[in-house]
Structure formats: structure tokens, C-alpha cells
PDB file of all heavy atoms in Angstrom:
ATOM      1  N   VAL R1191       0.819  -1.233  -0.019  1.00 95.00           N
ATOM      2  CA  VAL R1191      -0.002  -0.071   0.021  1.00 95.00           C
ATOM      3  C   VAL R1191       0.849   1.268   0.065  1.00 95.00           C
ATOM      4  O   VAL R1191       0.662   2.200  -0.712  1.00 95.00           O
ATOM      5  CB  VAL R1191      -0.986   0.042   1.109  1.00 95.00           C
ATOM      6  CG1 VAL R1191      -1.623   1.314   1.420  1.00 95.00           C
ATOM      7  CG2 VAL R1191      -1.933  -1.087   0.975  1.00 95.00           C
ATOM      8  N   GLN R1192       1.963   1.260   0.792  1.00 94.00           N
ATOM      9  CA  GLN R1192       2.794   2.419   0.922  1.00 94.00           C
ATOM     10  C   GLN R1192       3.568   2.581  -0.446  1.00 94.00           C
ATOM     11  O   GLN R1192       3.880   3.742  -0.888  1.00 94.00           O
ATOM     12  CB  GLN R1192       3.747   2.261   2.038  1.00 94.00           C
ATOM     13  CG  GLN R1192       3.159   2.683   3.305  1.00 94.00           C
ATOM     14  CD  GLN R1192       4.123   2.815   4.490  1.00 94.00           C
ATOM     15  OE1 GLN R1192       5.215   2.184   4.385  1.00 94.00           O
ATOM     16  NE2 GLN R1192       3.806   3.673   5.439  1.00 94.00           N
ATOM     17  N   ASP R1193       3.888   1.443  -1.029  1.00 91.00           N
ATOM     18  CA  ASP R1193       4.697   1.629  -2.306  1.00 91.00           C
ATOM     19  C   ASP R1193       3.837   2.106  -3.486  1.00 91.00           C
ATOM     20  O   ASP R1193       4.349   2.827  -4.259  1.00 91.00           O
ATOM     21  CB  ASP R1193       5.170   0.191  -2.668  1.00 91.00           C
ATOM     22  CG  ASP R1193       6.249   0.231  -3.790  1.00 91.00           C
ATOM     23  OD1 ASP R1193       7.173   1.146  -3.822  1.00 91.00           O
ATOM     24  OD2 ASP R1193       6.037  -0.619  -4.712  1.00 91.00           O
ATOM     25  N   LEU R1194       2.482   1.787  -3.477  1.00 91.00           N
ATOM     26  CA  LEU R1194       1.629   2.162  -4.529  1.00 91.00           C
ATOM     27  C   LEU R1194       0.895   3.457  -4.383  1.00 91.00           C
ATOM     28  O   LEU R1194       0.250   3.971  -5.174  1.00 91.00           O
ATOM     29  CB  LEU R1194       0.638   1.060  -4.792  1.00 91.00           C
ATOM     30  CG  LEU R1194       1.195  -0.331  -5.293  1.00 91.00           C
ATOM     31  CD1 LEU R1194       0.113  -1.263  -5.481  1.00 91.00           C
ATOM     32  CD2 LEU R1194       1.975  -0.094  -6.587  1.00 91.00           C
ATOM     33  N   THR R1195       1.118   4.106  -3.161  1.00 91.00           N
ATOM     34  CA  THR R1195       0.526   5.317  -2.932  1.00 91.00           C
ATOM     35  C   THR R1195       1.157   6.499  -3.574  1.00 91.00           C
ATOM     36  O   THR R1195       2.428   6.573  -3.633  1.00 91.00           O
ATOM     37  CB  THR R1195       0.434   5.640  -1.326  1.00 91.00           C
ATOM     38  OG1 THR R1195      -0.267   4.584  -0.697  1.00 91.00           O
ATOM     39  CG2 THR R1195      -0.263   6.955  -1.020  1.00 91.00           C
ATOM     40  N   THR R1196       0.416   7.306  -4.235  1.00 89.00           N
ATOM     41  CA  THR R1196       0.975   8.427  -4.950  1.00 89.00           C
ATOM     42  C   THR R1196       1.020   9.649  -3.975  1.00 89.00           C
ATOM     43  O   THR R1196       0.075   9.999  -3.326  1.00 89.00           O
ATOM     44  CB  THR R1196       0.139   8.938  -6.158  1.00 89.00           C
ATOM     45  OG1 THR R1196       0.026   7.786  -6.982  1.00 89.00           O
ATOM     46  CG2 THR R1196       0.711  10.051  -6.907  1.00 89.00           C
ATOM     47  N   ALA R1197       2.229  10.281  -3.874  1.00 88.00           N
ATOM     48  CA  ALA R1197       2.354  11.388  -2.877  1.00 88.00           C
ATOM     49  C   ALA R1197       2.313  12.676  -3.588  1.00 88.00           C
ATOM     50  O   ALA R1197       2.707  12.800  -4.796  1.00 88.00           O
ATOM     51  CB  ALA R1197       3.762  11.241  -2.240  1.00 88.00           C
ATOM     52  N   ALA R1198       1.898  13.724  -2.812  1.00 89.00           N
ATOM     53  CA  ALA R1198       1.767  15.057  -3.350  1.00 89.00           C
ATOM     54  C   ALA R1198       3.069  15.831  -3.368  1.00 89.00           C
ATOM     55  O   ALA R1198       3.250  16.554  -4.287  1.00 89.00           O
ATOM     56  CB  ALA R1198       0.695  15.852  -2.727  1.00 89.00           C
ATOM     57  N   THR R1199       3.819  15.641  -2.468  1.00 90.00           N
ATOM     58  CA  THR R1199       5.123  16.359  -2.320  1.00 90.00           C
ATOM     59  C   THR R1199       6.268  15.335  -2.201  1.00 90.00           C
ATOM     60  O   THR R1199       6.112  14.178  -1.863  1.00 90.00           O
ATOM     61  CB  THR R1199       5.110  17.136  -0.999  1.00 90.00           C
ATOM     62  OG1 THR R1199       4.970  16.402   0.094  1.00 90.00           O
ATOM     63  CG2 THR R1199       3.986  18.165  -1.058  1.00 90.00           C
ATOM     64  N   PRO R1200       7.510  15.734  -2.571  1.00 87.00           N
ATOM     65  CA  PRO R1200       8.624  14.897  -2.408  1.00 87.00           C
ATOM     66  C   PRO R1200       8.912  14.481  -1.048  1.00 87.00           C
ATOM     67  O   PRO R1200       9.342  13.326  -0.770  1.00 87.00           O
ATOM     68  CB  PRO R1200       9.717  15.731  -3.019  1.00 87.00           C
ATOM     69  CG  PRO R1200       9.212  16.734  -3.849  1.00 87.00           C
ATOM     70  CD  PRO R1200       7.832  17.000  -3.216  1.00 87.00           C
ATOM     71  N   GLU R1201       8.624  15.303   0.006  1.00 89.00           N
ATOM     72  CA  GLU R1201       8.881  14.915   1.378  1.00 89.00           C
ATOM     73  C   GLU R1201       7.926  13.797   1.816  1.00 89.00           C
ATOM     74  O   GLU R1201       8.341  12.806   2.418  1.00 89.00           O
ATOM     75  CB  GLU R1201       8.619  16.078   2.285  1.00 89.00           C
ATOM     76  CG  GLU R1201       9.693  17.240   2.100  1.00 89.00           C
ATOM     77  CD  GLU R1201       9.319  18.230   0.961  1.00 89.00           C
ATOM     78  OE1 GLU R1201       8.233  18.167   0.438  1.00 89.00           O
ATOM     79  OE2 GLU R1201      10.242  18.783   0.531  1.00 89.00           O
ATOM     80  N   LEU R1202       6.667  13.886   1.336  1.00 92.00           N
ATOM     81  CA  LEU R1202       5.749  12.790   1.697  1.00 92.00           C
ATOM     82  C   LEU R1202       6.111  11.527   0.912  1.00 92.00           C
ATOM     83  O   LEU R1202       6.048  10.500   1.463  1.00 92.00           O
ATOM     84  CB  LEU R1202       4.271  13.275   1.317  1.00 92.00           C
ATOM     85  CG  LEU R1202       3.140  12.166   1.553  1.00 92.00           C
ATOM     86  CD1 LEU R1202       3.135  11.849   2.985  1.00 92.00           C
ATOM     87  CD2 LEU R1202       1.842  12.767   1.120  1.00 92.00           C
ATOM     88  N   ALA R1203       6.515  11.657  -0.403  1.00 91.00           N
ATOM     89  CA  ALA R1203       7.004  10.499  -1.048  1.00 91.00           C
ATOM     90  C   ALA R1203       8.198   9.797  -0.403  1.00 91.00           C
ATOM     91  O   ALA R1203       8.241   8.585  -0.362  1.00 91.00           O
ATOM     92  CB  ALA R1203       7.354  10.955  -2.517  1.00 91.00           C
ATOM     93  N   ARG R1204       9.094  10.573   0.087  1.00 92.00           N
ATOM     94  CA  ARG R1204      10.323   9.968   0.730  1.00 92.00           C
ATOM     95  C   ARG R1204       9.939   9.252   1.980  1.00 92.00           C
ATOM     96  O   ARG R1204      10.369   8.127   2.316  1.00 92.00           O
ATOM     97  CB  ARG R1204      11.308  11.214   1.096  1.00 92.00           C
ATOM     98  CG  ARG R1204      12.542  10.473   1.588  1.00 92.00           C
ATOM     99  CD  ARG R1204      13.604  11.629   1.957  1.00 92.00           C
ATOM    100  NE  ARG R1204      13.931  12.334   0.624  1.00 92.00           N
ATOM    101  CZ  ARG R1204      13.766  13.598   0.415  1.00 92.00           C
ATOM    102  NH1 ARG R1204      13.320  14.405   1.463  1.00 92.00           N
ATOM    103  NH2 ARG R1204      14.096  14.171  -0.767  1.00 92.00           N
ATOM    104  N   SER R1205       8.937   9.809   2.802  1.00 93.00           N
ATOM    105  CA  SER R1205       8.468   9.152   3.998  1.00 93.00           C
ATOM    106  C   SER R1205       7.700   7.787   3.615  1.00 93.00           C
ATOM    107  O   SER R1205       7.804   6.826   4.401  1.00 93.00           O
ATOM    108  CB  SER R1205       7.681  10.069   4.873  1.00 93.00           C
ATOM    109  OG  SER R1205       6.493  10.418   4.231  1.00 93.00           O
ATOM    110  N   LEU R1206       6.886   7.886   2.623  1.00 94.00           N
ATOM    111  CA  LEU R1206       6.199   6.668   2.242  1.00 94.00           C
ATOM    112  C   LEU R1206       7.191   5.613   1.778  1.00 94.00           C
ATOM    113  O   LEU R1206       7.009   4.406   2.077  1.00 94.00           O
ATOM    114  CB  LEU R1206       5.206   6.986   1.035  1.00 94.00           C
ATOM    115  CG  LEU R1206       3.891   7.665   1.494  1.00 94.00           C
ATOM    116  CD1 LEU R1206       3.195   8.079   0.217  1.00 94.00           C
ATOM    117  CD2 LEU R1206       3.061   6.752   2.319  1.00 94.00           C
ATOM    118  N   VAL R1207       8.219   5.971   1.010  1.00 94.00           N
ATOM    119  CA  VAL R1207       9.176   5.054   0.511  1.00 94.00           C
ATOM    120  C   VAL R1207       9.982   4.383   1.684  1.00 94.00           C
ATOM    121  O   VAL R1207      10.211   3.215   1.686  1.00 94.00           O
ATOM    122  CB  VAL R1207      10.166   5.691  -0.532  1.00 94.00           C
ATOM    123  CG1 VAL R1207      11.410   4.847  -0.645  1.00 94.00           C
ATOM    124  CG2 VAL R1207       9.459   5.922  -1.752  1.00 94.00           C
ATOM    125  N   ILE R1208      10.295   5.208   2.665  1.00 94.00           N
ATOM    126  CA  ILE R1208      11.022   4.694   3.861  1.00 94.00           C
ATOM    127  C   ILE R1208      10.149   3.717   4.588  1.00 94.00           C
ATOM    128  O   ILE R1208      10.593   2.661   5.036  1.00 94.00           O
ATOM    129  CB  ILE R1208      11.559   5.849   4.737  1.00 94.00           C
ATOM    130  CG1 ILE R1208      12.687   6.562   3.879  1.00 94.00           C
ATOM    131  CG2 ILE R1208      12.176   5.350   6.029  1.00 94.00           C
ATOM    132  CD1 ILE R1208      13.238   7.894   4.559  1.00 94.00           C
ATOM    133  N   GLY R1209       8.848   4.162   4.770  1.00 95.00           N
ATOM    134  CA  GLY R1209       7.947   3.206   5.479  1.00 95.00           C
ATOM    135  C   GLY R1209       7.813   1.869   4.683  1.00 95.00           C
ATOM    136  O   GLY R1209       7.674   0.861   5.279  1.00 95.00           O
ATOM    137  N   ALA R1210       7.720   1.992   3.364  1.00 95.00           N
ATOM    138  CA  ALA R1210       7.646   0.773   2.574  1.00 95.00           C
ATOM    139  C   ALA R1210       8.872  -0.225   2.689  1.00 95.00           C
ATOM    140  O   ALA R1210       8.713  -1.373   2.808  1.00 95.00           O
ATOM    141  CB  ALA R1210       7.299   1.087   1.040  1.00 95.00           C
ATOM    142  N   LEU R1211       9.992   0.504   2.687  1.00 95.00           N
ATOM    143  CA  LEU R1211      11.237  -0.311   2.857  1.00 95.00           C
ATOM    144  C   LEU R1211      11.254  -0.930   4.276  1.00 95.00           C
ATOM    145  O   LEU R1211      11.607  -2.152   4.356  1.00 95.00           O
ATOM    146  CB  LEU R1211      12.488   0.690   2.795  1.00 95.00           C
ATOM    147  CG  LEU R1211      12.895   1.074   1.384  1.00 95.00           C
ATOM    148  CD1 LEU R1211      13.987   2.132   1.491  1.00 95.00           C
ATOM    149  CD2 LEU R1211      13.485  -0.096   0.623  1.00 95.00           C
ATOM    150  N   ALA R1212      10.917  -0.241   5.289  1.00 96.00           N
ATOM    151  CA  ALA R1212      10.885  -0.865   6.676  1.00 96.00           C
ATOM    152  C   ALA R1212       9.877  -1.991   6.659  1.00 96.00           C
ATOM    153  O   ALA R1212      10.231  -3.067   7.207  1.00 96.00           O
ATOM    154  CB  ALA R1212      10.660   0.172   7.711  1.00 96.00           C
ATOM    155  N   SER R1213       8.737  -1.830   6.162  1.00 96.00           N
ATOM    156  CA  SER R1213       7.727  -2.924   6.211  1.00 96.00           C
ATOM    157  C   SER R1213       8.142  -4.078   5.294  1.00 96.00           C
ATOM    158  O   SER R1213       7.929  -5.202   5.741  1.00 96.00           O
ATOM    159  CB  SER R1213       6.412  -2.362   5.709  1.00 96.00           C
ATOM    160  OG  SER R1213       5.873  -1.334   6.444  1.00 96.00           O
ATOM    161  N   ALA R1214       8.769  -3.874   4.233  1.00 96.00           N
ATOM    162  CA  ALA R1214       9.284  -4.982   3.392  1.00 96.00           C
ATOM    163  C   ALA R1214      10.347  -5.731   4.065  1.00 96.00           C
ATOM    164  O   ALA R1214      10.388  -6.931   3.983  1.00 96.00           O
ATOM    165  CB  ALA R1214       9.739  -4.398   2.099  1.00 96.00           C
ATOM    166  N   VAL R1215      11.172  -5.099   4.834  1.00 96.00           N
ATOM    167  CA  VAL R1215      12.349  -5.718   5.535  1.00 96.00           C
ATOM    168  C   VAL R1215      11.698  -6.670   6.613  1.00 96.00           C
ATOM    169  O   VAL R1215      12.201  -7.793   6.811  1.00 96.00           O
ATOM    170  CB  VAL R1215      13.283  -4.729   6.074  1.00 96.00           C
ATOM    171  CG1 VAL R1215      14.235  -5.379   7.187  1.00 96.00           C
ATOM    172  CG2 VAL R1215      14.063  -4.084   5.010  1.00 96.00           C
ATOM    173  N   VAL R1216      10.653  -6.121   7.363  1.00 96.00           N
ATOM    174  CA  VAL R1216       9.985  -6.914   8.433  1.00 96.00           C
ATOM    175  C   VAL R1216       9.325  -8.191   7.721  1.00 96.00           C
ATOM    176  O   VAL R1216       9.443  -9.346   8.244  1.00 96.00           O
ATOM    177  CB  VAL R1216       9.015  -6.144   9.187  1.00 96.00           C
ATOM    178  CG1 VAL R1216       8.046  -6.912   9.989  1.00 96.00           C
ATOM    179  CG2 VAL R1216       9.626  -5.036   9.935  1.00 96.00           C
ATOM    180  N   ALA R1217       8.650  -7.965   6.631  1.00 96.00           N
ATOM    181  CA  ALA R1217       7.999  -9.088   5.944  1.00 96.00           C
ATOM    182  C   ALA R1217       9.024 -10.125   5.396  1.00 96.00           C
ATOM    183  O   ALA R1217       8.803 -11.369   5.500  1.00 96.00           O
ATOM    184  CB  ALA R1217       7.092  -8.572   4.833  1.00 96.00           C
ATOM    185  N   ILE R1218      10.138  -9.702   4.841  1.00 96.00           N
ATOM    186  CA  ILE R1218      11.175 -10.653   4.429  1.00 96.00           C
ATOM    187  C   ILE R1218      11.778 -11.366   5.604  1.00 96.00           C
ATOM    188  O   ILE R1218      12.097 -12.618   5.467  1.00 96.00           O
ATOM    189  CB  ILE R1218      12.253  -9.850   3.617  1.00 96.00           C
ATOM    190  CG1 ILE R1218      11.580  -9.313   2.286  1.00 96.00           C
ATOM    191  CG2 ILE R1218      13.438 -10.732   3.341  1.00 96.00           C
ATOM    192  CD1 ILE R1218      12.445  -8.413   1.501  1.00 96.00           C
ATOM    193  N   ALA R1219      11.974 -10.746   6.673  1.00 96.00           N
ATOM    194  CA  ALA R1219      12.441 -11.427   7.866  1.00 96.00           C
ATOM    195  C   ALA R1219      11.468 -12.530   8.359  1.00 96.00           C
ATOM    196  O   ALA R1219      11.863 -13.655   8.652  1.00 96.00           O
ATOM    197  CB  ALA R1219      12.807 -10.383   9.045  1.00 96.00           C
ATOM    198  N   CYS R1220      10.180 -12.147   8.321  1.00 95.00           N
ATOM    199  CA  CYS R1220       9.200 -13.157   8.723  1.00 95.00           C
ATOM    200  C   CYS R1220       9.135 -14.329   7.753  1.00 95.00           C
ATOM    201  O   CYS R1220       8.984 -15.467   8.135  1.00 95.00           O
ATOM    202  CB  CYS R1220       7.803 -12.494   8.828  1.00 95.00           C
ATOM    203  SG  CYS R1220       7.600 -11.374  10.194  1.00 95.00           S
ATOM    204  N   ALA R1221       9.239 -14.036   6.431  1.00 95.00           N
ATOM    205  CA  ALA R1221       9.261 -15.015   5.449  1.00 95.00           C
ATOM    206  C   ALA R1221      10.516 -15.949   5.588  1.00 95.00           C
ATOM    207  O   ALA R1221      10.353 -17.177   5.498  1.00 95.00           O
ATOM    208  CB  ALA R1221       9.205 -14.456   4.047  1.00 95.00           C
ATOM    209  N   ALA R1222      11.636 -15.384   5.862  1.00 95.00           N
ATOM    210  CA  ALA R1222      12.832 -16.202   6.029  1.00 95.00           C
ATOM    211  C   ALA R1222      12.650 -17.155   7.286  1.00 95.00           C
ATOM    212  O   ALA R1222      13.074 -18.311   7.194  1.00 95.00           O
ATOM    213  CB  ALA R1222      14.132 -15.347   6.104  1.00 95.00           C
ATOM    214  N   TRP R1223      12.149 -16.533   8.384  1.00 94.00           N
ATOM    215  CA  TRP R1223      11.885 -17.430   9.610  1.00 94.00           C
ATOM    216  C   TRP R1223      10.965 -18.509   9.361  1.00 94.00           C
ATOM    217  O   TRP R1223      11.188 -19.749   9.633  1.00 94.00           O
ATOM    218  CB  TRP R1223      11.376 -16.499  10.679  1.00 94.00           C
ATOM    219  CG  TRP R1223      11.262 -17.184  12.016  1.00 94.00           C
ATOM    220  CD1 TRP R1223      12.322 -17.331  12.857  1.00 94.00           C
ATOM    221  CD2 TRP R1223      10.220 -17.946  12.524  1.00 94.00           C
ATOM    222  NE1 TRP R1223      11.961 -18.023  13.969  1.00 94.00           N
ATOM    223  CE2 TRP R1223      10.651 -18.451  13.763  1.00 94.00           C
ATOM    224  CE3 TRP R1223       8.878 -18.203  12.102  1.00 94.00           C
ATOM    225  CZ2 TRP R1223       9.800 -19.205  14.628  1.00 94.00           C
ATOM    226  CZ3 TRP R1223       8.140 -18.941  12.894  1.00 94.00           C
ATOM    227  CH2 TRP R1223       8.568 -19.406  14.148  1.00 94.00           C
ATOM    228  N   LEU R1224       9.845 -18.254   8.605  1.00 93.00           N
ATOM    229  CA  LEU R1224       8.917 -19.264   8.162  1.00 93.00           C
ATOM    230  C   LEU R1224       9.578 -20.308   7.236  1.00 93.00           C
ATOM    231  O   LEU R1224       9.303 -21.454   7.454  1.00 93.00           O
ATOM    232  CB  LEU R1224       7.697 -18.709   7.586  1.00 93.00           C
ATOM    233  CG  LEU R1224       6.704 -17.987   8.452  1.00 93.00           C
ATOM    234  CD1 LEU R1224       5.614 -17.271   7.662  1.00 93.00           C
ATOM    235  CD2 LEU R1224       6.042 -18.982   9.465  1.00 93.00           C
ATOM    236  N   TRP R1225      10.325 -19.847   6.375  1.00 92.00           N
ATOM    237  CA  TRP R1225      10.902 -20.863   5.470  1.00 92.00           C
ATOM    238  C   TRP R1225      11.956 -21.840   6.102  1.00 92.00           C
ATOM    239  O   TRP R1225      11.898 -23.003   5.837  1.00 92.00           O
ATOM    240  CB  TRP R1225      11.599 -20.167   4.284  1.00 92.00           C
ATOM    241  CG  TRP R1225      12.266 -21.052   3.249  1.00 92.00           C
ATOM    242  CD1 TRP R1225      13.522 -21.367   3.130  1.00 92.00           C
ATOM    243  CD2 TRP R1225      11.461 -21.780   2.292  1.00 92.00           C
ATOM    244  NE1 TRP R1225      13.610 -22.289   2.111  1.00 92.00           N
ATOM    245  CE2 TRP R1225      12.352 -22.524   1.530  1.00 92.00           C
ATOM    246  CE3 TRP R1225      10.087 -21.844   1.953  1.00 92.00           C
ATOM    247  CZ2 TRP R1225      12.049 -23.398   0.530  1.00 92.00           C
ATOM    248  CZ3 TRP R1225       9.718 -22.603   0.914  1.00 92.00           C
ATOM    249  CH2 TRP R1225      10.735 -23.397   0.141  1.00 92.00           C
ATOM    250  N   PHE R1226      12.828 -21.286   6.978  1.00 92.00           N
ATOM    251  CA  PHE R1226      13.884 -22.118   7.607  1.00 92.00           C
ATOM    252  C   PHE R1226      13.385 -22.896   8.809  1.00 92.00           C
ATOM    253  O   PHE R1226      14.096 -23.759   9.190  1.00 92.00           O
ATOM    254  CB  PHE R1226      15.095 -21.253   7.838  1.00 92.00           C
ATOM    255  CG  PHE R1226      15.692 -20.803   6.610  1.00 92.00           C
ATOM    256  CD1 PHE R1226      15.846 -19.454   6.239  1.00 92.00           C
ATOM    257  CD2 PHE R1226      16.300 -21.721   5.764  1.00 92.00           C
ATOM    258  CE1 PHE R1226      16.379 -19.097   5.114  1.00 92.00           C
ATOM    259  CE2 PHE R1226      16.938 -21.338   4.531  1.00 92.00           C
ATOM    260  CZ  PHE R1226      17.001 -19.989   4.223  1.00 92.00           C
TER     261      PHE R1226
END
């Protein structure tokens, strides 16, 4: 959701991208834990 959201300003876009990165890292960590 954060990755696909269109932001009105570059500052908002940067914060959405950083939030998407953090959420993706958490999801990848959970996926790796489940896999192994």
C-alpha cells in the first residue's frame, strides 16, 4: 500500500518510501523465519 500510494510532495513521497522499505524488511524477515 505504501509503495503504490501516490504522494503530493517529495517529502511525503520520501516518508512513504522509507515506510515501505521498513515494512518490506520486516516481511522478508518473517518469510525467512517461516521458510527455515
Side-chain angles (χ1 to χ4, degrees):
V1191 166
Q1192 282 189 329
D1193 190 47
L1194 297 178
T1195 301
T1196 305
T1199 63
E1201 293 82 16
L1202 180 60
R1204 188 175 300 121
S1205 65
L1206 285 171
V1207 165
I1208 291 171
L1211 281 171
S1213 297
V1215 168
V1216 169
I1218 291 170
C1220 290
W1223 188 87
L1224 285 171
W1225 182 258
F1226 291 115

